[in-house]
Amino acid sequence: RHLVRSRGLGDVYKRQVKYESKIVELIGESGTFANDVGRDIGVSSLTLKGLVRRSVKFDFKGHNIVPLKEEE
């Protein structure tokens, strides 16, 4: 029987950092259609959803990914 080792949380956080700056660059100030972002960075829609949900820099608004305003 082949056992698959689960990925640790470290992998999740490394992936988050890797993609977060690319997503910020792609969405600009007004936001971008989520499917376009996923295609441009080469991830599935499910992976993109997880990345966006864990981020404090952007969020979903409908089908778009939009930047979150920084609190002053």
Side-chain angles (χ1 to χ4, degrees), residues 13-67:
Y13 295 121
K14 287 176 193 169
R15 187 172 53 228
Q16 185 76 24
V17 170
K18 176 183 170 184
Y19 288 120
E20 213 166 51
S21 60
K22 291 179 183 179
I23 294 171
V24 167
E25 207 174 285
L26 286 169
I27 65 174
E29 292 181 15
S30 59
T32 303
F33 187 56
N35 286 348
D36 293 343
V37 174
R39 182 194 64 230
D40 290 349
I41 65 172
V43 299
S44 70
S45 58
L46 186 60
T47 299
L48 181 63
K49 185 176 183 179
L51 290 166
V52 173
R53 294 286 181 223
R54 284 189 301 273
S55 178
V56 296
K57 296 183 180 183
F58 40 80
D59 201 359
F60 284 107
K61 185 173 185 179
H63 292 287
N64 291 335
I65 300 174
V66 295

